[in-house]
Amino acid sequence: MAPCYPSVTSERTFGKPMKPAIRRIKSYVRDTVGESLRVTGLSSPALWAKDQLTIVTFHRVLPPTMLAGYPLPAIAVTPEELDHFVGAFQKYYTVGSLHDMMQLKASGNHAGKPLLAITFDDGQIDNYLFARPVLQSRGVRASFFVVSAAADDGELLWHDRMAFAIHHALAKRSAELNRWLKDLGINAWEVDPVALAVTAAKALTPGERASRVRQLERLAGKPLRPEWDGMMDWNHIRQMLKDGHEIGSHSSSHPILPLVDDETLRKEVEGSRQRMEAQVQQPVISFCYPNGDHDERVVLAVKRAGYAQAVTTRYGINRRLAPPWTLRRIDLQGRYGRDSRGHFVQGALLVRLSGRMPGAR
Ligand SMILES: [Zn+2]
């Protein structure tokens, strides 16, 4: 199952490191093909996304100064990049929250452009500080999936805590960190040990993961959370609702749901909904599987808890009759909106949004 966050490298690129010449050629081909398809109209969503629902995923929205200190940069876009994306969405789609787009889809009353829902996972404070103004200036609504316990206590999610701690220990060349990473089958000199360790830690039980995060933080000997980072609290979340955005559940504590027992599953799925509804005094009807992980038992729990729809991390767009509890999405990173010289373009983005090119970049 694809992770909530993609496998990333610190250079905001994917996969094995490529030789510079090969990378340049691939970038050139991508730019040329993407722009040619756009100019000829062959990648226009009006052609291939009619009667379908496209759902895009974002996580962090960080200005460049913060992004420079964030150890999982591939799951972040800058406010400028987000603005570019939203502008492109508005050109080709009817855009809104998942709730609004699902209602439009069900009504069949959307004869114009194809539908696109914007979603943000995890509920960090940057969504409020930096995504919200961009959406406001564009007059667009979105869905924000929040973790109810994190909104209660303000604690960063485990993948961010782990990433900050590894980043810090790598900078200090800690021998203990090398042992810690080896334990997870990772070498400190690999292309991106931070992202690899976060991905490997997904297979641990919640207890093991929490203990390893604490172990790493002890190694650092000081709090590692940057001053600018944090989670949205209930006041931020209520303000988002007042703005017209949708708030959905991303569970109570962001566990890997197929790995938890039935009682924990109920608390994570139904309990988070009850907690959120008590805080916002509105129905919460959309769910987002943490890390995208789900199986039949988890989907059934989501249906039983009364959610109308749920999103995964499976790449693709949703046909008219797609099951509403396993909706596919398209995660977007800054590089999908830029050419190889760093200029904003729409060609590569349209190819990515087609839902037919999982490796397009
Ligand atoms: Zn998540």
Side-chain angles (χ1 to χ4, degrees):
M1 185 86 33
C4 197
Y5 40 82
S7 299
V8 294
T9 78
S10 52
E11 292 177 9
R12 307 183 83 196
T13 56
F14 270 81
K16 289 180 189 168
M18 273 186 278
K19 287 184 178 161
I22 296 175
R23 189 187 300 156
R24 270 199 302 276
I25 292 168
K26 283 188 90 165
S27 300
Y28 176 76
V29 170
R30 183 200 74 160
D31 294 351
T32 310
V33 171
E35 282 306 296
S36 305
L37 291 172
R38 183 188 66 78
V39 169
T40 55
L42 289 174
S43 59
S44 169
L47 273 188
W48 41 258
K50 201 166 177 284
D51 294 331
Q52 305 201 31
L53 172 63
T54 303
I55 308 171
V56 294
T57 312
F58 295 101
H59 290 83
R60 315 296 301 259
V61 181
L62 300 173
T65 47
M66 295 176 185
L67 184 59
Y70 182 56
L72 295 170
I75 59 168
V77 297
T78 65
E80 199 188 9
E81 286 167 348
L82 180 65
D83 184 63
H84 169 68
F85 284 131
V86 177
F89 301 154
Q90 289 179 300
K91 185 172 173 187
Y92 295 101
Y93 296 89
T94 297
V95 185
S97 67
L98 180 64
H99 169 265
D100 290 349
M101 294 303 100
M102 287 297 281
Q103 288 214 322
L104 262 183
K105 180 167 165 272
S107 73
N109 188 20
H110 55 93
K113 298 173 182 174
L115 305 178
L116 181 142
I118 302 177
T119 66
F120 292 83
D121 287 8
D122 294 343
Q124 282 96 354
I125 187 69
D126 56 83
N127 286 186
Y128 182 83
L129 295 175
F130 305 114
R132 180 172 172 249
V134 171
L135 297 170
Q136 259 172 343
S137 75
R138 290 270 178 190
V140 163
R141 293 170 178 178
S143 297
F144 293 84
F145 290 106
V146 305
V147 176
S148 62
D152 278 335
D153 63 20
E155 184 79 76
L156 291 186
L157 301 184
W158 71 264
H159 62 260
D160 274 338
R161 286 175 61 191
M162 184 176 276
F164 280 124
I166 296 174
H167 191 63
H168 175 84
L170 279 171
K172 294 189 80 175
R173 296 169 181 269
S174 153
E176 273 183 87
L177 173 74
N178 288 350
R179 281 195 290 279
W180 189 96
L181 288 171
K182 257 207 164 95
D183 225 29
L184 286 173
I186 296 160
N187 292 312
W189 55 85
E190 298 211 48
V191 176
D192 191 348
V194 178
L196 288 173
V198 169
T199 302
K202 278 182 60 191
L204 304 173
T205 65
E208 280 173 331
R209 229 177 6 243
S211 128
R212 284 181 191 239
V213 168
R214 281 196 299 272
Q215 214 182 334
L216 266 187
E217 288 176 337
R218 265 200 305 275
L219 278 182
K222 62 171 189 178
L224 294 166
R225 167 183 173 154
E227 270 179 26
W228 52 261
D229 209 1
M231 306 303 294
M232 288 196 284
D233 64 23
W234 295 113
N235 287 327
H236 299 123
I237 291 166
R238 281 188 281 267
Q239 184 58 53
M240 290 292 221
L241 280 166
K242 268 191 203 156
D243 293 348
H245 299 299
E246 179 189 18
I247 299 297
S249 169
H250 198 23
S251 79
S252 296
S253 69
H254 207 278
I256 310 297
L257 291 175
L259 298 182
V260 305
D261 62 39
D262 288 350
E263 182 51 24
T264 309
L265 179 60
R266 199 190 57 74
K267 281 185 193 153
E268 292 287 341
V269 173
E270 199 180 316
S272 64
R273 184 177 188 202
Q274 287 164 352
R275 176 68 185 147
M276 291 177 67
E277 290 183 344
Q279 284 293 329
V280 302
Q281 297 294 305
Q282 283 190 31
V284 171
I285 61 161
S286 299
F287 188 81
C288 173
Y289 302 101
N291 304 291
D293 291 306
H294 63 281
D295 57 17
E296 256 178 57
R297 184 181 65 114
V298 171
V299 173
L300 190 63
V302 167
K303 283 188 204 174
R304 280 192 181 143
Y307 292 98
Q309 57 255 337
V311 293
T312 69
T313 52
R314 283 193 183 144
Y315 172 78
I317 55 181
N318 302 283
R319 295 178 191 284
R320 198 165 58 84
L321 297 175
W325 294 285
T326 49
L327 295 169
R328 292 169 180 258
R329 293 190 292 175
I330 293 172
D331 70 285
L332 290 177
Q333 296 144 41
R335 62 198 168 88
Y336 292 119
R338 296 180 186 271
D339 66 13
S340 47
R341 291 168 300 165
H343 298 154
F344 283 129
V345 289
Q346 292 179 350
L349 173 63
L350 292 179
V351 172
R352 176 74 180 162
L353 290 173
S354 71
R356 288 161 176 81
M357 304 287 278
R361 58 179 192 262

